[in-house]
Amino acid sequence: MKRTVILLAALAILPVGNALAHEHEGMDMGAMNAQAASSEGVGVVDSVDQAKGLVTLSHEPIASLGWPAMTMDFSVADKALFGKLVKGKKVRFQFSKQRNRYVITGVR
Ligand SMILES: [Cu+2]
């Protein structure tokens, strides 16, 4: 019982959601942000390049990361997700930073 309390206390003081700089062009912060938590956004699919595993989204502001609304590319690791990434469609998507890229991990 006591161990559980101590564990919870330790979790409570961990920083919640690090304010990642929102760099799209000069992607040089990979080392600093090696482990990124999953984030969620809402955006419209502008274009899809299945061969390259890329999707371009115009996303709404993402408060958890301090991102403004913008159009940007995301990588898509799981090809099955392309079934939900239809051009012109508005989607809610989960993503995380992996190395120097933002990778979509879920779509609905
Ligand atoms: Cu963005």
Side-chain angles (χ1 to χ4, degrees), residues 17-32:
N18 49 348
L20 296 178
H22 190 205
E23 84 288 6
H24 293 143
E25 322 297 342
M27 298 189 166
D28 279 328
M29 295 181 65
M32 286 176 63

Side-chain angles (χ1 to χ4, degrees), residues 1-64:
M1 205 59 180
K2 206 164 195 171
R3 283 184 63 176
T4 308
V5 173
I6 293 168
L7 179 63
L8 288 174
L11 286 173
I13 58 171
L14 284 172
V16 180
N18 49 348
L20 296 178
H22 190 205
E23 84 288 6
H24 293 143
E25 322 297 342
M27 298 189 166
D28 279 328
M29 295 181 65
M32 286 176 63
N33 303 323
Q35 15 191 319
S38 185
S39 302
E40 186 173 271
V42 175
V44 174
V45 180
D46 287 329
S47 63
V48 178
D49 189 333
Q50 241 186 100
K52 288 182 181 171
L54 287 174
V55 61
T56 306
L57 292 172
S58 289
H59 67 71
E60 295 175 359
I62 300 173
S64 60

